[in-house]
Amino acid sequence: MSAENWLQQLQDNGYRITAARRAVVFTVFGSVHALTPAQVYEIARKKYRALGLVTVYRTLEKLEEQHLIQRVHQPAGCQAFISSGMGHQHLLLCEQCGKVAFFEGDDLDALTTAIAQKTGYQIHEHWLQLFGLCSSCK
Amino acid sequence: MSAENWLQQLQDNGYRITAARRAVVFTVFGSVHALTPAQVYEIARKKYRALGLVTVYRTLEKLEEQHLIQRVHQPAGCQAFISSGMGHQHLLLCEQCGKVAFFEGDDLDALTTAIAQKTGYQIHEHWLQLFGLCSSCK
DNA sequence: TATACTATTGAAAATGATTTTCAATAAAGG
DNA sequence: CCTTTATTGAAAATCATTTTCAATAGTATA
Ligand SMILES: [Mn+2]
Ligand SMILES: [Mn+2]
Ligand SMILES: [Zn+2]
Ligand SMILES: [Zn+2]
């Protein structure tokens, strides 16, 4: 998956490729940190000066709708986005610098079955997120 | 733990017990659903008419600071609060009616050790949340 | 390549949630 | 009681996000 692929996917779904969208897509695609709309705006404007913040919001909305990015929930706030990993993955966040890593291989089947049993809920989904310090920050 | 205990804990920490706070505390304490400030306001006003929305925000802030309540993150939004369980617990949320259940007994030690190994992160904390349908809704 | 159609744009205004300001009130301790 | 000072609600301010709108630019088609 490349930034060009993201643009292609947008086009395949009836959206147009524009200079503003290129700037946003390349900004978000290339970041190892979760970025807020305001941060995306600030960075993407270096690539495309005329960019408006409104367009950042609108483009992030479309990227999220295409599951190319996802919202990151943190103690400090829940407005930031990061490019989605592929398949079933979860996030590991550096509490210091905000760097994001993906991981997989969590096996919660036994747990969810037991909880379903105990509570009477039918469980559909789980959110799992780890917090810590990345190798540079620790 | 009772609502009176919450008020006591606030007082022990230098805060005063007022009619407005009683209304908010009893509202949040007695709810099996996560409530937004606006919802708390609506319900608590039945107990204390003169209540202001600002005071709801200010009281929730103090309850969260005392770890008596916690913010609930959901796909629909992250403004709601629920009374905290005791000890290390996680949430199970009904996607239909919003009912909240707590569970414990998740064992992520093996996973976090493996991920720490693989990524080089030092892992401090985890967020885990289950979503599904409660026994009434399924 | 030129043209037509219409999605997309940024600015400005509107909205919605939360926070700050402030003078009046009421809780708590003596 | 009295005094002190935290707390209150209303109003204003702030901040993030959304809507409106007329101008512009992408894309399909000829
Ligand atoms: Mn998983
Ligand atoms: Mn746990
Ligand atoms: Zn770091
Ligand atoms: Zn339910």
Side-chain angles (χ1 to χ4, degrees):
Chain A
M1 265 293 181
S2 71
E4 290 295 347
N5 285 330
W6 286 19
L7 290 167
Q8 190 56 52
Q9 177 166 340
L10 287 178
Q11 192 165 50
D12 293 346
N13 284 84
Y15 298 119
R16 294 178 179 175
I17 298 178
T18 67
R21 285 183 181 157
R22 291 197 92 83
V24 172
V25 161
F26 273 83
T27 298
V28 179
F29 181 86
S31 177
V32 288
H33 297 88
L35 300 175
T36 62
Q39 290 172 319
V40 171
Y41 177 61
E42 193 185 355
I43 299 170
R45 229 149 64 94
K46 291 176 186 152
K47 304 176 209 287
Y48 179 64
R49 214 59 220 184
L51 181 66
L53 178 58
V54 209
T55 299
V56 173
Y57 276 95
R58 291 191 277 226
T59 304
L60 291 175
E61 186 179 58
K62 285 166 184 61
L63 291 174
E64 189 182 24
E65 160 200 315
Q66 297 291 320
H67 306 293
L68 293 170
I69 64 174
Q70 63 187 230
R71 185 177 295 271
V72 177
H73 298 261
Q74 286 183 271
C78 308
Q79 316 83 353
F81 293 86
I82 187 83
S83 73
S84 298
M86 60 249 64
H88 181 88
Q89 301 213 135
H90 296 287
L91 297 180
L92 166 53
L93 296 154
C94 177
E95 291 166 328
Q96 189 68 53
C97 73
K99 194 161 104 186
V100 172
F102 284 92
F103 68 89
E104 51 195 335
D106 61 308
D107 183 10
L108 299 173
D109 292 347
L111 177 69
T112 56
T113 304
I115 302 301
Q117 186 86 182
K118 198 171 295 178
T119 61
Y121 278 61
Q122 188 175 79
I123 296 171
H124 294 149
E125 201 190 340
H126 64 260
W127 278 4
L128 173 61
Q129 220 168 98
L130 303 180
F131 296 92
L133 291 177
C134 76
S135 46
S136 328
C137 290
K138 77 182 173 192
Chain B
M1 265 292 181
S2 69
E4 290 295 346
N5 285 331
W6 285 19
L7 289 166
Q8 190 55 52
Q9 176 166 340
L10 287 178
Q11 192 164 50
D12 293 347
N13 285 81
Y15 298 119
R16 293 178 180 175
I17 297 177
T18 67
R21 284 182 181 159
R22 291 197 93 84
V24 171
V25 162
F26 274 82
T27 297
V28 179
F29 180 86
S31 177
V32 287
H33 296 87
L35 299 175
T36 62
Q39 290 173 320
V40 172
Y41 177 63
E42 192 185 357
I43 299 170
R45 228 150 64 94
K46 291 176 184 150
K47 305 176 208 287
Y48 180 63
R49 263 288 151 193
L51 180 66
L53 178 57
V54 207
T55 299
V56 173
Y57 276 95
R58 292 191 276 225
T59 305
L60 291 175
E61 185 179 58
K62 285 165 184 62
L63 291 174
E64 189 182 25
E65 160 200 316
Q66 296 292 319
H67 305 293
L68 293 170
I69 64 174
Q70 62 187 234
R71 188 178 293 271
V72 177
H73 299 260
Q74 287 182 270
C78 308
Q79 316 81 2
F81 292 88
I82 187 81
S83 72
S84 298
M86 59 247 67
H88 181 89
Q89 301 213 132
H90 297 287
L91 297 180
L92 167 53
L93 295 154
C94 177
E95 291 167 327
Q96 188 68 53
C97 73
K99 194 161 105 188
V100 172
F102 285 93
F103 68 89
E104 49 196 337
D106 61 307
D107 183 10
L108 299 174
D109 291 347
L111 178 68
T112 55
T113 304
I115 303 300
Q117 186 85 182
K118 199 170 297 179
T119 61
Y121 278 60
Q122 187 176 80
I123 296 170
H124 293 148
E125 201 191 339
H126 63 261
W127 277 5
L128 173 61
Q129 220 168 99
L130 303 181
F131 296 92
L133 291 177
C134 76
S135 45
S136 327
C137 289
K138 79 183 172 193

